[in-house]
C-alpha cells in the first residue's frame, strides 16, 4: 500500500494559517484528513487531534462519546499556546474572552483504514471526502453531506456542544479480481467539490491523470493554483492518495507533525 | 462570476467604509439610556469586533477586510482605518463588560467579556457635512480600485439622523450637492460591480421603513434624498438580507428609515456579509 499526502494553504495566506491536517500511520494501516473550520477557535489544533487519534489505533471510531473525550487535549494545547504568548508579553485577551463565552473549534474528518486482504472502511463527517477512482475515472465521491456549502457537518471541541451531522461509514474491497486498478483519495472540500463538478465531463480523465501525476508538494501547489483559476474554491486544500501497489505492514509509526507536512517529500509506503 | 459574488478573502480583501454622522443632533437622546451618537458608535464597534472575531482563528485575524470609519460634523475626520489585524491590535481602549448568555439549562448567566472600542461618541455640536464624507469615501475607493481592480466591490454604509447641512447653505442645496457626489460614488465600478452605498436613518419618531422599492407619494424631501442616494440591493446579497431579517423585493434600495438598534446592526452586518458568510 502506498500513500502520498499533499497540503497547501489558501492563496495569499501563510503556511501557518492552514487549518487542514492529515495523519498517516502505516502500523495501523490508517490515514486521516481533517479540515478545521475557519470561523472557530484554534481549529488546526482540533483537526490535528482528530486526525492523529483516528490513525493511532485501529479500533478507535469517531463516535460522539469518543470525540468528546478528546476535548481536554484541545483545551490543553490552547492553554499552552496562550501561556507561550504571555511569556512573550502578548496578552491574549481576545482568545481568553472567546473561551470564556464557550467558543470552541470545529473540524471535519475523513479517515480510512485498510485491512489485510484489501478490505477497507472509511468514516466521514463533514464535507471532507473520500474519492474512489477506477483507473482515471471518478467512480464515487463520498461525504456525510448532500451538497457542498458553507455549513458542513463537524465535530466540536467543546464537549457541551453537539457539533453537527452523523458519521457516515463506507466500506470496500481492493482486491476483487478482474476490476480496474483502484485509487482512493482523501480530500478536503475545495478539491472534493471541484472533482464533483468535473465528474462525467470530458475533462475528467485528463484532470485525474494530472492529479495522480503529482509527486511533490511544489507540483501540488502549482496544480491547485492552476485549478483555482478554473473555478476551484480558494481554500486550504489537502489530498492523500492511497493506492494498493503492494502490501507490507511496517512497525514504524509515522505521525505528521504540524509544519512538517509542508516540508518533506510526502510519501509513505507500507 | 456574477456581479457582487466575490467573497472577501486574504487574497481579495473587501473594503468597508462606514460614514458616521457626528453633528449636534446626534447628541440628542436615542432612548432613556443613551444618545444617538452613543448608540451609533456602539453599533459600529460591535460590528467591527464581530468582523474581526469571525475572521479570527485563535492566533490572529485574517486580513480579509479593510475598514475605514469616517466621522462628519462641520468637517470630515478619519476615526479609524486598517486591515482587521491592525484594528485588532490597536483599539482606542478595551472595556470590561458583562455579557448575558444561555446557561444551557434555560436560564441566562452573565459572563465577563472584553469589548474593544475604536469609535467614541461625540458630545459637541456641529453641522452635517455628509457631502464631505462622501467625497472622502470616493477618494479612498478610487485609490483602492486603482490598486486592487480584481477585488470585491467596496461597500459604504452611511449612518445619520437627518439631511446634510453645512457651510450655512440651505438644506435643499446641501441635499442636491450631496446627491451629486453620492451618485458619483455609486458610479465607481470594478470587476465585481459598482460601489454599494447603503443608508440608515437613526430612529426618530416616524414610521419605520426597511429596504423600500419606491418613494411613497407625499414622502418628505429627506426621505426622497435618502432613497436616491441608496444603491439597489443586488441579488447576490439576497441571502444576507434574509439572514438579517431585512425584507427584500425587486428594486429594493439599501436604506432603512427610522432604524432601531437591531436594524442598524443588521444593516452593517448585511453590508459586510461578504466577509462574514464563509465559515470554511
Amino acid at each position: 500500500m502506498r500513500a502520498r499526502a499533499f497540503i497547501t494553504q489558501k492563496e495569499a495566506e501563510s503556511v501557518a494559517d492552514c487549518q487542514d491536517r492529515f495523519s498517516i500511520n502505516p502500523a495501523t494501516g490508517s490515514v486521516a484528513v481533517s479540515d478545521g473550520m475557519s470561523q472557530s477557535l484554534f481549529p488546526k489544533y482540533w483537526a490535528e487531534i482528530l486526525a492523529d487519534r483516528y490513525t493511532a489505533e485501529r479500533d478507535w471510531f469517531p463516535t460522539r462519546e469518543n470525540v468528546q473525550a478528546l476535548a481536554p487535549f484541545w483545551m490543553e494545547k490552547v492553554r499552552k499556546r496562550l501561556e507561550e504568548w504571555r511569556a512573550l508579553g502578548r496578552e491574549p485577551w481576545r482568545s481568553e474572552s472567546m473561551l470564556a463565552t464557550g467558543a470552541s473549534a470545529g473540524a471535519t474528518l475523513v479517515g480510512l483504514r485498510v485491512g489485510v486482504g484489501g478490505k477497507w472502511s472509511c468514516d466521514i463527517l463533514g464535507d471532507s471526502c473520500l474519492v474512489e477512482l477506477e483507473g482515471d475515472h471518478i467512480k464515487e465521491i463520498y461525504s456525510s453531506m448532500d451538497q457542498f456549502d458553507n455549513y458542513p457537518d463537524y465535530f466540536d471541541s467543546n464537549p457541551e456542544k453537539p457539533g453537527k451531522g452523523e458519521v457516515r461509514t463506507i466500506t470496500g474491497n481492493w482486491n476483487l479480481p478482474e476490476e480496474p486498478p483502484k485509487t482512493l483519495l482523501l480530500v478536503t472540500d475545495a478539491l472534493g467539490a471541484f472533482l464533483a463538478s468535473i465528474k462525467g465531463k470530458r475533462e475528467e480523465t485528463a484532470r485525474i491523470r494530472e492529479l495522480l501525476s503529482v509527486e511533490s508538494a511544489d507540483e501540488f501547489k502549482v496544480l491547485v493554483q492552476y485549478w483555482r483559476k478554473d473555478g476551484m474554491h480558494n481554500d486550504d486544500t489537502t489530498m492523500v492518495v492511497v493506492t494498493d501497489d503492494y502490501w507490507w505492514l511496517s512497525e514504524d509509526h509515522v505521525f505528521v507533525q504540524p509544519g512538517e507536512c509542508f516540508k518533506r517529500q510526502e510519501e509513505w509506503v507500507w | 462570476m456574477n456581479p457582487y459574488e466575490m467573497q472577501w478573502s486574504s487574497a481579495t480583501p473587501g473594503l468597508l467604509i462606514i460614514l458616521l454622522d457626528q453633528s449636534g443632533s446626534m447628541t440628542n437622546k436615542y432612548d432613556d439610556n443613551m444618545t444617538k451618537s452613543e448608540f451609533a458608535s456602539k453599533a459600529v464597534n460591535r460590528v467591527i469586533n464581530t468582523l474581526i472575531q469571525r475572521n479570527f482563528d485563535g492566533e490572529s485575524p485574517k486580513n480579509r477586510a479593510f475598514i475605514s470609519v469616517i466621522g462628519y460634523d462641520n468637517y470630515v475626520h478619519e476615526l479609524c482605518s486598517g486591515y482587521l489585524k491592525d484594528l485588532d491590535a490597536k483599539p482606542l481602549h478595551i472595556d470590561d463588560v458583562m455579557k448575558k448568555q444561555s446557561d444551557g439549562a434555560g436560564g441566562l448567566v452573565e459572563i465577563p467579556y472584553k469589548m474593544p472600542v475604536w469609535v467614541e461618541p461625540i458630545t459637541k455640536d456641529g453641522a452635517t457635512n455628509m457631502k464631505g464624507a462622501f467625497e472622502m469615501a470616493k477618494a479612498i475607493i478610487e485609490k483602492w480600485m486603482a490598486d486592487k481592480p480584481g477585488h470585491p466591490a467596496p461597500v459604504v454604509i452611511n449612518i445619520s439622523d437627518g439631511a446634510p447641512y453645512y457651510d450655512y447653505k440651505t438644506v435643499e442645496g446641501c441635499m442636491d450637492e450631496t446627491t451629486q457626489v453620492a451618485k458619483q460614488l455609486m458610479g465607481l465600478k470594478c470587476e465585481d460591480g459598482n460601489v454599494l452605498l447603503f443608508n440608515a436613518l437613526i430612529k426618530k419618531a416616524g414610521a419605520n421603513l426597511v429596504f423600500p422599492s419606491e418613494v411613497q407619494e407625499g414622502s418628505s424631501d429627506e426621505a426622497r434624498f435618502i432613497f436616491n442616494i441608496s444603491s439597489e440591493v443586488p441579488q447576490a446579497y439576497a441571502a444576507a438580507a434574509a439572514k438579517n431579517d431585512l425584507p427584500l423585493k425587486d428594486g429594493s434600495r439599501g436604506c432603512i428609515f427610522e432604524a432601531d438598534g437591531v436594524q442598524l446592526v443588521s444593516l452593517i452586518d448585511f453590508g459586510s456579509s461578504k466577509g462574514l458568510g464563509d465559515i470554511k
Side-chain angles (χ1 to χ4, degrees), chain A residues 22-43:
Chain A
F22 65 86
S23 180
I24 297 174
N25 186 349
T28 61
S30 307
V31 176
V33 168
S34 179
D35 176 355
M37 284 163 51
S38 297
Q39 289 189 11
S40 65
L41 201 61
F42 295 102

Side-chain angles (χ1 to χ4, degrees), chain B residues 107-178:
Chain B
L108 291 172
V109 285
E110 284 205 321
I111 290 172
Y113 191 74
K114 301 276 187 191
M115 184 63 212
V117 172
W118 293 271
V119 176
E120 298 276 24
I122 52 135
T123 51
K124 283 194 298 187
D125 197 4
T128 315
N129 190 0
M130 196 186 288
K131 171 175 158 270
F134 285 157
E135 284 169 339
M136 185 184 265
K138 184 169 165 274
I140 292 170
I141 290 172
E142 281 171 336
K143 184 166 185 334
W144 176 271
M145 282 181 164
D147 293 345
K148 302 171 174 63
H151 283 224
V155 176
V156 180
I157 297 171
N158 178 41
I159 302 166
S160 176
D161 72 338
Y165 174 71
Y166 49 86
D167 295 344
Y168 306 105
K169 295 177 180 174
T170 62
V171 170
E172 290 73 22
C174 291
M175 286 199 288
D176 285 346
E177 286 183 354
T178 304

Side-chain angles (χ1 to χ4, degrees), chain A residues 12-13 17 19 35 38-40 42-43 45 81 85 90 93-95 97-98 101 127 150 152 189 233, chain B residues 10-11 49 52-54 56-59 62 64 88 94 99 101 111 113-114 116 276-280:
Chain A
E13 292 193 356
D17 291 331
Q19 312 290 358
D35 176 355
S38 297
Q39 289 189 11
S40 65
F42 295 102
Y45 293 169
R81 184 69 174 141
W85 285 350
R90 176 180 167 184
W93 62 268
R94 184 175 290 281
S95 304
S97 200
M98 289 172 73
T101 56
D127 55 9
N150 282 329
D189 62 302
H233 187 49
Chain B
S10 299
N49 193 46
I52 290 173
Q53 209 139 295
R54 296 270 183 93
F56 181 74
D57 65 358
E59 301 278 344
K62 305 288 188 303
R64 292 176 183 150
D88 185 47
I94 301 169
K99 184 176 179 178
Q101 72 174 51
I111 290 172
Y113 191 74
K114 301 276 187 191
L276 295 172
D278 197 353
I279 66 167
K280 284 293 292 169

Side-chain angles (χ1 to χ4, degrees), chain A residues 64 67-68 125 154-156 158-166:
Chain A
R64 291 277 165 209
V67 170
Q68 281 173 345
L125 184 72
Y154 65 95
F155 289 114
D156 202 299
N158 182 338
E160 290 173 12
K161 292 183 184 172
K164 181 170 174 268
E166 295 296 327

Side-chain angles (χ1 to χ4, degrees), chain B:
Chain B
M1 191 175 274
N2 294 323
Y4 303 109
E5 285 199 342
M6 280 190 80
Q7 288 291 325
W8 298 359
S9 70
S10 299
T12 55
L15 172 62
L16 173 67
I17 299 180
I18 300 172
L19 308 178
L20 195 54
D21 184 345
Q22 296 193 310
S23 62
S25 58
M26 291 290 284
T27 59
N28 294 339
K29 286 281 182 194
Y30 167 74
D31 61 18
D32 291 342
N33 298 318
M34 61 181 126
T35 65
K36 290 177 189 173
S37 180
E38 286 168 339
F39 159 69
S41 303
K42 204 170 172 179
V44 170
N45 287 324
R46 181 176 151 183
V47 170
I48 294 175
N49 193 46
T50 302
L51 255 177
I52 290 173
Q53 209 139 295
R54 296 270 183 93
N55 289 287
F56 181 74
D57 65 358
E59 301 278 344
S60 64
K62 305 288 188 303
N63 277 337
R64 292 176 183 150
F66 187 98
I67 302 175
S68 189
V69 184
I70 296 167
Y72 55 94
D73 45 32
N74 295 331
Y75 307 102
V76 179
H77 325 263
E78 184 187 66
L79 301 176
C80 68
S81 276
Y83 283 101
L84 298 182
K85 205 174 277 188
D86 305 325
L87 292 170
D88 185 47
K90 289 181 182 169
L92 293 175
H93 52 90
I94 301 169
D95 290 346
D96 289 309
V97 296
M98 297 303 284
K99 184 176 179 178
K100 280 184 187 162
Q101 72 174 51
S102 166
D103 64 2
L108 291 172
V109 285
E110 284 205 321
I111 290 172
Y113 191 74
K114 301 276 187 191
M115 184 63 212
V117 172
W118 293 271
V119 176
E120 298 276 24
I122 52 135
T123 51
K124 283 194 298 187
D125 197 4
T128 315
N129 190 0
M130 196 186 288
K131 171 175 158 270
F134 285 157
E135 284 169 339
M136 185 184 265
K138 184 169 165 274
I140 292 170
I141 290 172
E142 281 171 336
K143 184 166 185 334
W144 176 271
M145 282 181 164
D147 293 345
K148 302 171 174 63
H151 283 224
V155 176
V156 180
I157 297 171
N158 178 41
I159 302 166
S160 176
D161 72 338
Y165 174 71
Y166 49 86
D167 295 344
Y168 306 105
K169 295 177 180 174
T170 62
V171 170
E172 290 73 22
C174 291
M175 286 199 288
D176 285 346
E177 286 183 354
T178 304
T179 301
Q180 282 179 32
V181 182
K183 298 270 185 196
Q184 290 167 12
L185 183 63
M186 290 189 282
L188 297 175
K189 190 173 184 177
C190 64
E191 289 169 23
D192 188 42
N194 282 69
V195 169
L196 294 170
L197 174 55
F198 302 134
N199 285 276
L201 266 186
I202 294 179
K203 191 175 182 178
K204 288 194 287 190
N208 179 268
L209 185 59
V210 180
F211 282 11
S213 57
E214 58 183 352
V215 189
Q216 301 281 333
E217 211 170 296
S219 296
S220 66
D221 289 346
E222 193 180 273
R224 282 179 193 283
F225 164 72
I226 291 294
F227 183 85
N228 287 334
I229 64 164
S230 298
S231 300
E232 189 171 323
V233 178
Q235 194 53 40
Y237 278 74
K243 194 175 163 193
N244 284 289
D245 291 328
L246 298 168
L248 197 60
K249 41 193 175 291
D250 281 350
S252 274
R253 298 290 183 95
C255 54
I256 302 179
F257 296 95
E258 320 308 345
D260 63 22
V262 173
Q263 287 169 333
L264 181 57
V265 171
S266 292
L267 182 72
I268 312 176
D269 253 0
F270 164 77
S272 56
S273 58
K274 298 294 172 189
L276 295 172
D278 197 353
I279 66 167
K280 284 293 292 169

